[in-house]
Amino acid sequence: MAKLTPPRRRAPRRAGRPPGNVINELLEHKLIREVSYEKYRDKVRDVYDGPKGAMLAACSLISLHTPLGDRLFRERRFDLAGARRILDVGSGAGQLAKHVLRYADPEAELTCSDLSHEMLLRARQRLKSTRPRFVVADMTRLPFADASFDCVTCGYVLEHLPDARDGLVELSRVMMPGARMLLLTTEDRFSGAWTSRMWCCRTYNRRELRQICQDLGLRWKEELWFTRMHKVFRAGGICVHIVKE
Ligand SMILES: C[S@@+](CC[C@H](N)C(=O)[O-])C[C@H]1O[C@@H](n2cnc3c(N)ncnc32)[C@H](O)[C@@H]1O
C-alpha cells in the first residue's frame, strides 16, 4: 500500500492561529500547495484504492458514522425533499449516498463522484441500485457545468485537500443559487486528531472554515450535531447545512 510521506520541512506557524496538527502543517506547506498537489492527490488515491479503502464501509459502521449520518436525513435535519439533482462528492463506499437514495424523492437524480475508481466500484457494489451515475473526479476539478446541482453532500472529503478553498470553490461553482449542501469534515479537536492520524488527512478550525465558506457565498444556515451528547461535548466534527447565496 502506498504511504503518504509528506516532506520533512515544517511550515512556519502563523501568528494568532490556533495550533493545528503536524499533518495540517505539512499539507499547508507551500511545497504541496503549489508544487506537488497532483503527487499528493495520487497518494491519497492509492490509499483509498488499497486495503484501507476496502475497510472503509466497516470502519464507518464501527465508528457509528453510518448510523449517525442516517439520523440527519431521517429526522430531516438535512431535508432532501424537493431536491432534483444531487451530487455526492467523495462518495467512498457509498455511505452518504445510501442515505440519499433512501430519503431523496424517487425522481431525484444522484451523481456519485470520487477520486478513486476503486471506491466507486465498492460504492456501486454496496448500493445495489441502478439509480446513481458514477463519475471519477477530483473535487478540485469537477467535470460538471456551472449550476448543475440543487443539492450537494460531501462527507469527510475536504480534509484530504491542502486548502479547503480549492474544493469549496468548485462545489460553489456547480451549485445553483439557493442550492443546499451537507458538509461534514474533521475538526481540530480530539476526535479529529485521531482521524487525522488514522487516515493521514488534515483537520479544520470551525471558525476559519466558516469564514472561507462565507467568502465564497456559501452561507452556514445551521450547524448540525449528530446527538445532544455530541453538541454538549462539541464532538463528532464539523457538520453543517450550507446554502449557496
Ligand atoms: C473518508 S471517505 C468518505 C466517504 C463518504 N463520503 C462518507 O461520508 O463516509 C473519503 C473519500 O474521499 C475521496 N477523496 C479524497 N480526496 C478527494 C478529492 N480530491 N476529490 C474527490 N474525492 C476525494 C477518497 O477517495 C475517499 O473515497
Side-chain angles (χ1 to χ4, degrees), residues 11-38:
R13 182 165 288 157
R14 276 170 262 158
R17 197 166 186 281
N21 61 41
V22 174
I23 294 175
N24 283 7
E25 291 185 6
L26 289 165
L27 288 184
E28 285 169 3
H29 198 281
K30 204 167 166 278
L31 202 64
I32 285 186
R33 286 182 55 187
E34 291 171 17
V35 184
S36 58
Y37 169 67
E38 277 76 14

PDB file of all heavy atoms in Angstrom, residues 11-38:
ATOM      1  N   ALA A  11       6.088  23.846   8.200  1.00  0.00           N
ATOM      2  CA  ALA A  11       5.606  25.161   7.794  1.00  0.00           C
ATOM      3  C   ALA A  11       5.651  26.095   8.997  1.00  0.00           C
ATOM      4  O   ALA A  11       5.389  25.660  10.114  1.00  0.00           O
ATOM      5  CB  ALA A  11       4.167  25.041   7.311  1.00  0.00           C
ATOM      6  N   PRO A  12       5.999  27.359   8.781  1.00  0.00           N
ATOM      7  CA  PRO A  12       6.004  28.285   9.925  1.00  0.00           C
ATOM      8  C   PRO A  12       4.571  28.497  10.420  1.00  0.00           C
ATOM      9  O   PRO A  12       3.652  28.586   9.619  1.00  0.00           O
ATOM     10  CB  PRO A  12       6.564  29.580   9.328  1.00  0.00           C
ATOM     11  CG  PRO A  12       6.375  29.456   7.853  1.00  0.00           C
ATOM     12  CD  PRO A  12       6.356  27.998   7.533  1.00  0.00           C
ATOM     13  N   ARG A  13       4.400  28.501  11.737  1.00  0.00           N
ATOM     14  CA  ARG A  13       3.053  28.703  12.286  1.00  0.00           C
ATOM     15  C   ARG A  13       2.697  30.172  12.219  1.00  0.00           C
ATOM     16  O   ARG A  13       3.473  31.020  12.611  1.00  0.00           O
ATOM     17  CB  ARG A  13       3.015  28.212  13.719  1.00  0.00           C
ATOM     18  CG  ARG A  13       1.643  28.361  14.323  1.00  0.00           C
ATOM     19  CD  ARG A  13       1.525  27.558  15.579  1.00  0.00           C
ATOM     20  NE  ARG A  13       1.474  26.150  15.264  1.00  0.00           N
ATOM     21  CZ  ARG A  13       1.811  25.193  16.131  1.00  0.00           C
ATOM     22  NH1 ARG A  13       2.211  25.506  17.325  1.00  0.00           N
ATOM     23  NH2 ARG A  13       1.737  23.935  15.786  1.00  0.00           N
ATOM     24  N   ARG A  14       1.495  30.457  11.660  1.00  0.00           N
ATOM     25  CA  ARG A  14       1.097  31.853  11.560  1.00  0.00           C
ATOM     26  C   ARG A  14       0.631  32.377  12.906  1.00  0.00           C
ATOM     27  O   ARG A  14       0.006  31.667  13.666  1.00  0.00           O
ATOM     28  CB  ARG A  14      -0.043  31.987  10.535  1.00  0.00           C
ATOM     29  CG  ARG A  14       0.494  32.075   9.125  1.00  0.00           C
ATOM     30  CD  ARG A  14      -0.621  31.957   8.138  1.00  0.00           C
ATOM     31  NE  ARG A  14      -0.711  30.599   7.638  1.00  0.00           N
ATOM     32  CZ  ARG A  14      -1.811  30.086   7.107  1.00  0.00           C
ATOM     33  NH1 ARG A  14      -2.903  30.788   7.013  1.00  0.00           N
ATOM     34  NH2 ARG A  14      -1.827  28.852   6.670  1.00  0.00           N
ATOM     35  N   ALA A  15       0.983  33.644  13.139  1.00  0.00           N
ATOM     36  CA  ALA A  15       0.644  34.241  14.438  1.00  0.00           C
ATOM     37  C   ALA A  15      -0.863  34.298  14.612  1.00  0.00           C
ATOM     38  O   ALA A  15      -1.609  34.487  13.660  1.00  0.00           O
ATOM     39  CB  ALA A  15       1.232  35.643  14.500  1.00  0.00           C
ATOM     40  N   GLY A  16      -1.325  34.111  15.824  1.00  0.00           N
ATOM     41  CA  GLY A  16      -2.741  34.261  16.142  1.00  0.00           C
ATOM     42  C   GLY A  16      -3.597  33.122  15.647  1.00  0.00           C
ATOM     43  O   GLY A  16      -4.815  33.209  15.605  1.00  0.00           O
ATOM     44  N   ARG A  17      -2.980  32.039  15.217  1.00  0.00           N
ATOM     45  CA  ARG A  17      -3.729  30.934  14.645  1.00  0.00           C
ATOM     46  C   ARG A  17      -3.757  29.793  15.648  1.00  0.00           C
ATOM     47  O   ARG A  17      -2.742  29.492  16.258  1.00  0.00           O
ATOM     48  CB  ARG A  17      -2.988  30.481  13.387  1.00  0.00           C
ATOM     49  CG  ARG A  17      -3.784  29.655  12.469  1.00  0.00           C
ATOM     50  CD  ARG A  17      -3.059  29.579  11.148  1.00  0.00           C
ATOM     51  NE  ARG A  17      -3.921  28.887  10.222  1.00  0.00           N
ATOM     52  CZ  ARG A  17      -4.056  27.591  10.219  1.00  0.00           C
ATOM     53  NH1 ARG A  17      -3.389  26.866  11.065  1.00  0.00           N
ATOM     54  NH2 ARG A  17      -4.878  27.014   9.372  1.00  0.00           N
ATOM     55  N   PRO A  18      -4.930  29.149  15.828  1.00  0.00           N
ATOM     56  CA  PRO A  18      -4.934  28.044  16.778  1.00  0.00           C
ATOM     57  C   PRO A  18      -4.014  26.936  16.303  1.00  0.00           C
ATOM     58  O   PRO A  18      -3.880  26.719  15.099  1.00  0.00           O
ATOM     59  CB  PRO A  18      -6.394  27.574  16.767  1.00  0.00           C
ATOM     60  CG  PRO A  18      -7.090  28.356  15.736  1.00  0.00           C
ATOM     61  CD  PRO A  18      -6.174  29.373  15.164  1.00  0.00           C
ATOM     62  N   PRO A  19      -3.327  26.234  17.221  1.00  0.00           N
ATOM     63  CA  PRO A  19      -2.388  25.206  16.782  1.00  0.00           C
ATOM     64  C   PRO A  19      -3.108  24.088  16.045  1.00  0.00           C
ATOM     65  O   PRO A  19      -4.142  23.611  16.500  1.00  0.00           O
ATOM     66  CB  PRO A  19      -1.786  24.695  18.091  1.00  0.00           C
ATOM     67  CG  PRO A  19      -2.736  25.118  19.149  1.00  0.00           C
ATOM     68  CD  PRO A  19      -3.442  26.322  18.667  1.00  0.00           C
ATOM     69  N   GLY A  20      -2.592  23.693  14.905  1.00  0.00           N
ATOM     70  CA  GLY A  20      -3.166  22.573  14.176  1.00  0.00           C
ATOM     71  C   GLY A  20      -2.367  21.345  14.522  1.00  0.00           C
ATOM     72  O   GLY A  20      -1.659  21.314  15.524  1.00  0.00           O
ATOM     73  N   ASN A  21      -2.425  20.290  13.721  1.00  0.00           N
ATOM     74  CA  ASN A  21      -1.560  19.160  13.993  1.00  0.00           C
ATOM     75  C   ASN A  21      -0.476  19.102  12.921  1.00  0.00           C
ATOM     76  O   ASN A  21      -0.456  19.908  11.995  1.00  0.00           O
ATOM     77  CB  ASN A  21      -2.371  17.869  14.086  1.00  0.00           C
ATOM     78  CG  ASN A  21      -3.095  17.583  12.804  1.00  0.00           C
ATOM     79  OD1 ASN A  21      -2.544  17.772  11.728  1.00  0.00           O
ATOM     80  ND2 ASN A  21      -4.329  17.135  12.899  1.00  0.00           N
ATOM     81  N   VAL A  22       0.424  18.157  13.077  1.00  0.00           N
ATOM     82  CA  VAL A  22       1.576  18.095  12.181  1.00  0.00           C
ATOM     83  C   VAL A  22       1.113  17.921  10.725  1.00  0.00           C
ATOM     84  O   VAL A  22       1.659  18.534   9.807  1.00  0.00           O
ATOM     85  CB  VAL A  22       2.467  16.908  12.597  1.00  0.00           C
ATOM     86  CG1 VAL A  22       3.602  16.711  11.622  1.00  0.00           C
ATOM     87  CG2 VAL A  22       3.011  17.151  13.984  1.00  0.00           C
ATOM     88  N   ILE A  23       0.088  17.102  10.535  1.00  0.00           N
ATOM     89  CA  ILE A  23      -0.375  16.855   9.164  1.00  0.00           C
ATOM     90  C   ILE A  23      -0.921  18.139   8.550  1.00  0.00           C
ATOM     91  O   ILE A  23      -0.672  18.454   7.391  1.00  0.00           O
ATOM     92  CB  ILE A  23      -1.393  15.709   9.146  1.00  0.00           C
ATOM     93  CG1 ILE A  23      -0.665  14.420   9.548  1.00  0.00           C
ATOM     94  CG2 ILE A  23      -2.017  15.550   7.765  1.00  0.00           C
ATOM     95  CD1 ILE A  23      -1.514  13.206   9.712  1.00  0.00           C
ATOM     96  N   ASN A  24      -1.649  18.942   9.357  1.00  0.00           N
ATOM     97  CA  ASN A  24      -2.122  20.229   8.841  1.00  0.00           C
ATOM     98  C   ASN A  24      -0.948  21.063   8.356  1.00  0.00           C
ATOM     99  O   ASN A  24      -0.975  21.650   7.276  1.00  0.00           O
ATOM    100  CB  ASN A  24      -2.808  21.029   9.947  1.00  0.00           C
ATOM    101  CG  ASN A  24      -4.199  20.528  10.235  1.00  0.00           C
ATOM    102  OD1 ASN A  24      -4.594  19.496   9.696  1.00  0.00           O
ATOM    103  ND2 ASN A  24      -4.918  21.225  11.064  1.00  0.00           N
ATOM    104  N   GLU A  25       0.053  21.142   9.190  1.00  0.00           N
ATOM    105  CA  GLU A  25       1.191  21.998   8.850  1.00  0.00           C
ATOM    106  C   GLU A  25       1.872  21.527   7.577  1.00  0.00           C
ATOM    107  O   GLU A  25       2.248  22.319   6.723  1.00  0.00           O
ATOM    108  CB  GLU A  25       2.177  22.023  10.008  1.00  0.00           C
ATOM    109  CG  GLU A  25       1.600  22.764  11.206  1.00  0.00           C
ATOM    110  CD  GLU A  25       2.595  22.912  12.335  1.00  0.00           C
ATOM    111  OE1 GLU A  25       3.753  22.535  12.146  1.00  0.00           O
ATOM    112  OE2 GLU A  25       2.188  23.403  13.397  1.00  0.00           O
ATOM    113  N   LEU A  26       1.995  20.207   7.460  1.00  0.00           N
ATOM    114  CA  LEU A  26       2.641  19.682   6.262  1.00  0.00           C
ATOM    115  C   LEU A  26       1.807  19.964   5.016  1.00  0.00           C
ATOM    116  O   LEU A  26       2.313  20.360   3.975  1.00  0.00           O
ATOM    117  CB  LEU A  26       2.874  18.173   6.411  1.00  0.00           C
ATOM    118  CG  LEU A  26       3.969  17.805   7.414  1.00  0.00           C
ATOM    119  CD1 LEU A  26       3.882  16.335   7.784  1.00  0.00           C
ATOM    120  CD2 LEU A  26       5.343  18.130   6.857  1.00  0.00           C
ATOM    121  N   LEU A  27       0.488  19.759   5.163  1.00  0.00           N
ATOM    122  CA  LEU A  27      -0.371  19.957   3.988  1.00  0.00           C
ATOM    123  C   LEU A  27      -0.465  21.420   3.579  1.00  0.00           C
ATOM    124  O   LEU A  27      -0.651  21.740   2.415  1.00  0.00           O
ATOM    125  CB  LEU A  27      -1.768  19.392   4.247  1.00  0.00           C
ATOM    126  CG  LEU A  27      -1.845  17.875   4.279  1.00  0.00           C
ATOM    127  CD1 LEU A  27      -3.273  17.413   4.454  1.00  0.00           C
ATOM    128  CD2 LEU A  27      -1.286  17.280   3.009  1.00  0.00           C
ATOM    129  N   GLU A  28      -0.366  22.280   4.579  1.00  0.00           N
ATOM    130  CA  GLU A  28      -0.457  23.704   4.256  1.00  0.00           C
ATOM    131  C   GLU A  28       0.863  24.213   3.677  1.00  0.00           C
ATOM    132  O   GLU A  28       0.965  25.345   3.230  1.00  0.00           O
ATOM    133  CB  GLU A  28      -0.809  24.505   5.512  1.00  0.00           C
ATOM    134  CG  GLU A  28      -2.270  24.351   5.885  1.00  0.00           C
ATOM    135  CD  GLU A  28      -2.572  24.917   7.254  1.00  0.00           C
ATOM    136  OE1 GLU A  28      -1.654  25.473   7.886  1.00  0.00           O
ATOM    137  OE2 GLU A  28      -3.724  24.796   7.684  1.00  0.00           O
ATOM    138  N   HIS A  29       1.859  23.355   3.721  1.00  0.00           N
ATOM    139  CA  HIS A  29       3.170  23.772   3.266  1.00  0.00           C
ATOM    140  C   HIS A  29       3.144  24.104   1.775  1.00  0.00           C
ATOM    141  O   HIS A  29       2.513  23.431   0.979  1.00  0.00           O
ATOM    142  CB  HIS A  29       4.196  22.659   3.532  1.00  0.00           C
ATOM    143  CG  HIS A  29       5.595  23.152   3.505  1.00  0.00           C
ATOM    144  ND1 HIS A  29       6.263  23.374   2.327  1.00  0.00           N
ATOM    145  CD2 HIS A  29       6.437  23.493   4.502  1.00  0.00           C
ATOM    146  CE1 HIS A  29       7.476  23.822   2.612  1.00  0.00           C
ATOM    147  NE2 HIS A  29       7.606  23.895   3.916  1.00  0.00           N
ATOM    148  N   LYS A  30       3.862  25.164   1.452  1.00  0.00           N
ATOM    149  CA  LYS A  30       3.957  25.674   0.088  1.00  0.00           C
ATOM    150  C   LYS A  30       4.262  24.555  -0.922  1.00  0.00           C
ATOM    151  O   LYS A  30       3.713  24.508  -2.014  1.00  0.00           O
ATOM    152  CB  LYS A  30       5.113  26.681   0.084  1.00  0.00           C
ATOM    153  CG  LYS A  30       5.074  27.724  -0.975  1.00  0.00           C
ATOM    154  CD  LYS A  30       6.099  28.791  -0.612  1.00  0.00           C
ATOM    155  CE  LYS A  30       6.368  29.691  -1.794  1.00  0.00           C
ATOM    156  NZ  LYS A  30       7.311  29.126  -2.721  1.00  0.00           N
ATOM    157  N   LEU A  31       5.136  23.633  -0.504  1.00  0.00           N
ATOM    158  CA  LEU A  31       5.597  22.594  -1.415  1.00  0.00           C
ATOM    159  C   LEU A  31       4.426  21.776  -1.958  1.00  0.00           C
ATOM    160  O   LEU A  31       4.337  21.483  -3.144  1.00  0.00           O
ATOM    161  CB  LEU A  31       6.550  21.682  -0.643  1.00  0.00           C
ATOM    162  CG  LEU A  31       7.520  20.869  -1.465  1.00  0.00           C
ATOM    163  CD1 LEU A  31       8.476  21.790  -2.191  1.00  0.00           C
ATOM    164  CD2 LEU A  31       8.316  19.949  -0.535  1.00  0.00           C
ATOM    165  N   ILE A  32       3.511  21.405  -1.063  1.00  0.00           N
ATOM    166  CA  ILE A  32       2.371  20.612  -1.507  1.00  0.00           C
ATOM    167  C   ILE A  32       1.352  21.493  -2.203  1.00  0.00           C
ATOM    168  O   ILE A  32       0.813  21.157  -3.237  1.00  0.00           O
ATOM    169  CB  ILE A  32       1.721  19.890  -0.303  1.00  0.00           C
ATOM    170  CG1 ILE A  32       2.618  18.722   0.096  1.00  0.00           C
ATOM    171  CG2 ILE A  32       0.343  19.365  -0.666  1.00  0.00           C
ATOM    172  CD1 ILE A  32       2.064  17.846   1.163  1.00  0.00           C
ATOM    173  N   ARG A  33       1.107  22.675  -1.623  1.00  0.00           N
ATOM    174  CA  ARG A  33       0.051  23.523  -2.182  1.00  0.00           C
ATOM    175  C   ARG A  33       0.369  23.989  -3.582  1.00  0.00           C
ATOM    176  O   ARG A  33      -0.485  24.073  -4.438  1.00  0.00           O
ATOM    177  CB  ARG A  33      -0.188  24.724  -1.287  1.00  0.00           C
ATOM    178  CG  ARG A  33      -0.925  24.312  -0.029  1.00  0.00           C
ATOM    179  CD  ARG A  33      -1.222  25.478   0.837  1.00  0.00           C
ATOM    180  NE  ARG A  33      -1.962  26.505   0.122  1.00  0.00           N
ATOM    181  CZ  ARG A  33      -2.226  27.693   0.639  1.00  0.00           C
ATOM    182  NH1 ARG A  33      -1.831  27.984   1.833  1.00  0.00           N
ATOM    183  NH2 ARG A  33      -2.893  28.578  -0.048  1.00  0.00           N
ATOM    184  N   GLU A  34       1.621  24.320  -3.823  1.00  0.00           N
ATOM    185  CA  GLU A  34       1.915  24.952  -5.103  1.00  0.00           C
ATOM    186  C   GLU A  34       2.655  24.062  -6.076  1.00  0.00           C
ATOM    187  O   GLU A  34       2.587  24.268  -7.272  1.00  0.00           O
ATOM    188  CB  GLU A  34       2.722  26.242  -4.865  1.00  0.00           C
ATOM    189  CG  GLU A  34       1.851  27.286  -4.206  1.00  0.00           C
ATOM    190  CD  GLU A  34       2.651  28.487  -3.749  1.00  0.00           C
ATOM    191  OE1 GLU A  34       3.784  28.646  -4.212  1.00  0.00           O
ATOM    192  OE2 GLU A  34       2.127  29.250  -2.929  1.00  0.00           O
ATOM    193  N   VAL A  35       3.385  23.087  -5.585  1.00  0.00           N
ATOM    194  CA  VAL A  35       4.220  22.317  -6.499  1.00  0.00           C
ATOM    195  C   VAL A  35       3.670  20.924  -6.733  1.00  0.00           C
ATOM    196  O   VAL A  35       3.537  20.473  -7.861  1.00  0.00           O
ATOM    197  CB  VAL A  35       5.675  22.218  -5.966  1.00  0.00           C
ATOM    198  CG1 VAL A  35       6.555  21.492  -6.968  1.00  0.00           C
ATOM    199  CG2 VAL A  35       6.221  23.586  -5.653  1.00  0.00           C
ATOM    200  N   SER A  36       3.324  20.237  -5.653  1.00  0.00           N
ATOM    201  CA  SER A  36       3.071  18.822  -5.860  1.00  0.00           C
ATOM    202  C   SER A  36       1.687  18.365  -5.419  1.00  0.00           C
ATOM    203  O   SER A  36       1.542  17.296  -4.873  1.00  0.00           O
ATOM    204  CB  SER A  36       4.156  18.011  -5.156  1.00  0.00           C
ATOM    205  OG  SER A  36       4.159  18.347  -3.792  1.00  0.00           O
ATOM    206  N   TYR A  37       0.662  19.203  -5.621  1.00  0.00           N
ATOM    207  CA  TYR A  37      -0.683  18.769  -5.257  1.00  0.00           C
ATOM    208  C   TYR A  37      -1.040  17.466  -5.984  1.00  0.00           C
ATOM    209  O   TYR A  37      -1.580  16.544  -5.391  1.00  0.00           O
ATOM    210  CB  TYR A  37      -1.735  19.862  -5.555  1.00  0.00           C
ATOM    211  CG  TYR A  37      -3.142  19.307  -5.437  1.00  0.00           C
ATOM    212  CD1 TYR A  37      -3.632  18.910  -4.192  1.00  0.00           C
ATOM    213  CD2 TYR A  37      -3.952  19.116  -6.557  1.00  0.00           C
ATOM    214  CE1 TYR A  37      -4.896  18.350  -4.064  1.00  0.00           C
ATOM    215  CE2 TYR A  37      -5.208  18.565  -6.449  1.00  0.00           C
ATOM    216  CZ  TYR A  37      -5.680  18.182  -5.196  1.00  0.00           C
ATOM    217  OH  TYR A  37      -6.920  17.612  -5.082  1.00  0.00           O
ATOM    218  N   GLU A  38      -0.703  17.399  -7.277  1.00  0.00           N
ATOM    219  CA  GLU A  38      -1.058  16.202  -8.057  1.00  0.00           C
ATOM    220  C   GLU A  38      -0.436  14.943  -7.458  1.00  0.00           C
ATOM    221  O   GLU A  38      -1.093  13.922  -7.361  1.00  0.00           O
ATOM    222  CB  GLU A  38      -0.629  16.344  -9.522  1.00  0.00           C
ATOM    223  CG  GLU A  38      -1.620  17.123 -10.385  1.00  0.00           C
ATOM    224  CD  GLU A  38      -1.544  18.616 -10.145  1.00  0.00           C
ATOM    225  OE1 GLU A  38      -0.541  19.065  -9.521  1.00  0.00           O
ATOM    226  OE2 GLU A  38      -2.479  19.342 -10.539  1.00  0.00           O
TER     227      GLU A  38
END
